[in-house]
Amino acid sequence: MKAHVLHEPELEFRAGNRHIDPRYGLSVFGPADADSPAAPHQIPVALVGPAQAVDGIRSWLQRCQNRIEAKDTKSGQENLHQPFPGFSVDSEFGAELVFDDSLVREIPERQLRRLARADVASATTDAVEIYADAARSLAETGRCRVVICARPDELNDREDRPPLAEGVAEQEEQEEHEVGGDFHDLLKAAALTLSAPLQLMRTETWTGIPARTGEQATRPLQDEATRAWNLHTALYYKAGGTPWRMQRHSSDLATCYIGVSFYRTANGQELHTAVAQVFNERGDGVVVRGGTAHISKSDRQPHLVLSDARRLLLDALAEYRRTHGHQPARIVVHKTSNFTSGEIDGFHEAADERDIDYVDMLWIQRRGAPHLYRIGQLPPLRGTTVQLDARSLLLYTRGSVPYFRTYPGLYVPQPLLIRSASHGTDPLLAGTDILALSKMNWNNAQLDERDPLTLRTAYRVGSILKHVSSDARIATRYAYYM
């Protein structure tokens, strides 16, 4: 066995310029779609929340129109934290947020005091109804691109609970269990039919004061420039923009990346519904809901029968064509569980019906992979791979980053174990795709996410869709779930 380090994938920005770091690329070149007539240069935003929060959000967002200096770093590690260039038509973003007093819905203090006195479940339900009604009235005006909601401090749902106990190896593992909290998920579920996506903000985001999650514990707070980076790239994407996209050579096949996952319904029944997260190389994402999965007796994981696997992929390809105007030449399917023979046959049948010759099916395991140890104090480099056999690859999507001159994480990085369920798959090409897809998260402008976009979206989408009835209409744009 021999370790190999993949090159850090470059991203594409305005006029085809490229760089490995989203923040550098946006600061120097601007968004990938900046020259497109459809780019969101003016972004009207609506605001929902108590009067003090609305004023605080608006004031901070207006402050973010100008440059915000980066957090102090050690000498030689300046790339780890970068200044925010400002979000305005005069900055490289070439876009600005537009505020209008008529696009504000203030939540009365009386209603918030009632939330503080109620039990957690009742308070959460009432808060969702109050905020959903306000967001709906704003979206129906047709004048806003994004609705920003100030999360009520009076709630004490899962989002306010302390971090998981020691033994959780990765921060991402905690996020998988606590994707936003009950209020976040229920409100997003209630807003899936609106004409504008929601952006939820916690008080600490605009105040810079860490929130207390217990008598002594506080939620870790990012520095101001990082908070500005993450929020404004998310707002730009939700408004219909493309902050950055994956690099694609002219000789590359048009590829459709599909993450297949399952979520348990919220009614207490042991049902698992399949959902496909569908992306192209640009990162344009749509969500397709499938049929009910069945728990396998062999591995105790949810799986699809052949007909449901075929139908899910056909629906995903149909949504891809509606969105992009053409069929892909290559399909890459990611799952966090093994592929059964029925799933493999079903996906192949769907590809054959659409005359698609290239299909890669990859089982990506997030736990239980063997670890590598590197001489010295730092962990293995991000992009380190070891091919274990003809169909198995070990990949570090988190690790030491030469561009940062350090390892930016808090925990020991966990590699991904990638197993191919299809013949003819190039393991290194699969690893390169996954490494590039790990940079396609517009909620985080730092370049070293652990999971590829296809899997990371699964946690968020599932936690929201479990609150939506199976026959209800849902938004297909991924922007509604992030």
Side-chain angles (χ1 to χ4, degrees):
M1 265 182 280
K2 186 176 181 180
H4 176 78
V5 180
L6 300 175
H7 291 293
E8 185 66 59
E10 290 186 318
L11 300 170
E12 189 172 293
F13 301 91
R14 183 177 188 173
N17 288 286
R18 295 171 180 170
H19 198 270
I20 65 171
D21 188 349
R23 296 167 302 177
Y24 181 92
L26 286 172
S27 295
V28 176
F29 308 120
D33 66 340
D35 295 326
S36 168
H41 300 298
Q42 302 280 325
I43 304 176
V45 294
L47 300 173
V48 177
Q52 186 176 3
V54 167
D55 290 342
I57 291 174
R58 185 165 179 168
S59 177
W60 186 69
L61 291 177
Q62 288 173 335
R63 166 175 163 74
C64 292
Q65 293 173 355
N66 302 309
R67 178 184 174 93
I68 297 176
E69 294 300 329
K71 176 182 177 180
D72 291 337
T73 54
K74 295 179 181 179
S75 177
Q77 296 180 0
E78 291 79 9
N79 291 333
L80 183 57
H81 298 285
Q82 296 191 21
F84 180 67
F87 196 84
S88 70
V89 291
D90 296 324
S91 73
E92 286 300 329
F93 271 101
E96 64 178 357
L97 302 180
V98 178
F99 302 97
D100 187 330
D101 290 341
S102 67
L103 293 177
V104 174
R105 296 292 183 272
E106 293 184 359
I107 307 300
E109 292 291 338
R110 174 181 57 82
Q111 294 181 332
L112 297 174
R113 288 195 298 271
R114 190 179 66 201
L115 296 179
R117 293 192 298 267
D119 61 89
V120 174
S122 298
T124 302
T125 300
D126 290 345
V128 168
E129 182 178 353
I130 293 169
Y131 274 70
D133 286 345
R136 188 173 298 108
S137 70
L138 290 165
E140 286 175 352
T141 67
R143 295 169 46 224
C144 57
R145 301 285 288 269
V146 183
V147 179
I148 299 177
C149 298
R151 189 185 187 282
D153 294 329
E154 290 75 12
L155 285 183
N156 188 30
D157 66 342
R158 282 188 297 127
E159 188 170 75
D160 287 331
R161 295 179 185 175
L164 298 183
E166 288 187 30
V168 177
E170 286 270 358
Q171 183 178 2
E172 288 89 344
E173 303 293 340
Q174 177 177 327
E175 292 173 356
E176 179 181 346
H177 292 283
E178 297 189 273
V179 183
D182 293 330
F183 174 74
H184 173 282
D185 299 342
L186 287 164
L187 182 58
K188 291 274 188 171
L192 289 181
T193 58
L194 302 185
S195 60
L198 304 188
Q199 174 67 48
L200 273 66
M201 289 181 64
R202 304 187 186 101
T203 303
E204 57 263 36
T205 301
W206 70 84
T207 64
I209 302 173
R212 301 189 66 81
T213 55
E215 291 185 2
Q216 296 181 341
T218 58
R219 187 196 309 275
L221 182 64
Q222 296 170 323
D223 63 279
E224 187 177 23
T226 298
R227 299 197 308 273
W229 271 118
N230 294 341
L231 177 67
H232 287 83
T233 52
L235 290 175
Y236 189 85
Y237 178 73
K238 289 182 179 184
T242 304
W244 59 83
R245 53 183 170 231
M246 290 169 58
Q247 177 183 356
R248 181 183 172 212
H249 299 287
S250 59
S251 58
D252 291 343
L253 296 175
T255 302
C256 173
Y257 298 97
I258 301 174
V260 175
S261 60
F262 308 93
Y263 63 90
R264 185 174 298 177
T265 54
N267 59 10
Q269 300 183 34
E270 292 296 314
L271 296 176
H272 293 74
T273 303
V275 61
Q277 294 79 221
V278 187
F279 297 91
N280 69 352
E281 305 94 329
R282 293 173 174 261
D284 297 329
V286 294
V287 174
V288 177
R289 188 163 48 179
T292 300
H294 305 276
I295 301 297
S296 168
K297 294 181 179 180
S298 60
D299 63 5
R300 306 304 302 167
Q301 296 293 319
H303 292 283
L304 292 169
V305 298
L306 186 152
S307 58
D308 286 339
R310 171 182 166 275
R311 173 47 51 193
L312 180 64
L313 186 52
L314 285 174
D315 289 346
L317 290 172
E319 193 62 46
Y320 181 96
R321 181 164 187 168
R322 275 193 293 270
T323 303
H324 306 299
H326 63 85
Q327 288 282 22
R330 173 177 171 244
I331 301 170
V332 178
V333 182
H334 291 166
K335 278 179 80 231
T336 55
S337 59
N338 196 9
F339 287 80
T340 63
S341 58
E343 289 171 331
I344 293 172
D345 292 342
F347 292 145
H348 275 305
E349 284 188 11
D352 290 343
E353 285 190 41
R354 295 293 178 265
D355 295 323
I356 298 173
D357 296 327
Y358 303 96
V359 181
D360 293 331
M361 286 175 267
L362 301 172
W363 172 20
I364 303 177
Q365 295 176 248
R366 304 178 70 249
R367 302 181 183 89
H371 287 207
L372 303 180
Y373 293 91
R374 178 184 174 201
I375 296 174
Q377 295 183 334
L378 295 177
L381 294 170
R382 170 177 151 88
T384 298
T385 64
V386 174
Q387 189 164 342
L388 304 177
D389 55 46
R391 291 195 181 186
S392 301
L393 185 77
L394 196 69
L395 171 64
Y396 275 85
T397 51
R398 297 222 72 198
S400 301
V401 180
Y403 181 70
F404 294 152
R405 296 191 178 182
T406 188
Y407 167 55
L410 300 176
Y411 305 94
V412 176
Q414 309 287 308
L416 301 177
L417 181 57
I418 304 162
R419 299 184 185 275
S420 173
S422 47
H423 295 284
T425 297
D426 181 345
L428 287 180
L429 175 59
T432 300
D433 279 347
I434 290 171
L435 197 63
L437 286 167
S438 73
K439 306 173 83 157
M440 301 299 289
N441 176 15
W442 298 283
N443 275 324
N444 186 354
Q446 188 163 302
L447 63 83
D448 64 331
E449 284 283 334
R450 185 190 179 196
D451 293 325
L453 181 65
T454 45
L455 297 189
R456 184 167 185 82
T457 58
Y459 316 134
R460 297 192 176 277
V461 170
S463 67
I464 293 168
L465 284 184
K466 72 179 183 180
H467 299 294
V468 182
S469 63
S470 59
D471 58 347
R473 185 171 66 90
I474 63 171
T476 58
R477 275 187 67 209
Y478 171 58
Y480 281 78
Y481 299 87
M482 60 181 281

